[in-house]
Amino acid sequence: MLQATQLRVGMKILFNGEPHLVMTIQHHTPGNLRGMVHVKMRNLKSGRSLEHRFSSSDKVERVVLETIELEYMYSGNGQHHFMNTENYEQVAIDDESMGGMKFYLLPNVKFAVEFYEGRPVGVTPPRTIELKVVDTQPNMRGATVTASQKPATLETGLVVNVPQFIEVGEVLRIDTEEGKYIERAK
């Protein structure tokens, strides 16, 4: 058990019987009153965000999640199928649990999947991934790296802002944490 004042961003805690990820923390110590810890967290099962104010004397339970590396195989009927390459066991994860990570699903890419009580609750893609541009505006003559940006739709449906010189068919390296263009891959 931890005191609420010991919470840190990124910790996983048990709140109302369900695992939550701590996203932001603000410590408040108003005048003559007791200190409070205002926490914004996301439910790892449902994906919903909520805010809660803990008293500085409140205790919270830290959750330990099992993380397994799984390889993405295919999607269908709102389910995304992954396989454990060590024992060939397959796991299906629904759209809600995947959240925005579904835009990084490419066959044979390995993801870190977190499990709570045998159920997948979080999916983390590799830090960068290479995706092909399927739609964007035509190339502007004389466009440079520092010029304005334009939207580009990638093969998984992800839309990112790219430099003007990027064309359809190019493969781009994308930062999966921020969902942003990094550079051309090839």
Side-chain angles (χ1 to χ4, degrees), residues 6 20 32 58-59 64 70 105 124 126 129 140 178:
Q6 294 176 317
H20 286 74
N32 297 342
D58 285 348
K59 300 229 184 243
V64 178
L70 301 178
L105 293 176
T124 307
I129 195 161
M140 277 182 46
E178 297 182 26

Side-chain angles (χ1 to χ4, degrees), residues 28-47:
H28 296 285
T29 314
N32 297 342
L33 302 175
R34 288 180 163 230
M36 294 176 280
V37 180
H38 188 81
V39 178
K40 183 174 182 183
M41 53 191 153
R42 182 172 44 95
N43 186 315
L44 291 173
K45 284 185 176 178
S46 68

Side-chain angles (χ1 to χ4, degrees), residues 145-176:
V145 174
T146 58
S148 64
Q149 303 216 325
K150 63 182 180 180
T153 304
L154 306 178
E155 62 187 299
T156 59
L158 180 66
V159 178
V160 295
N161 286 327
V162 297
Q164 292 288 339
F165 59 82
I166 299 295
E167 298 177 358
V168 172
E170 290 191 64
V171 178
L172 308 178
R173 187 164 288 120
I174 304 298
D175 178 346
T176 58

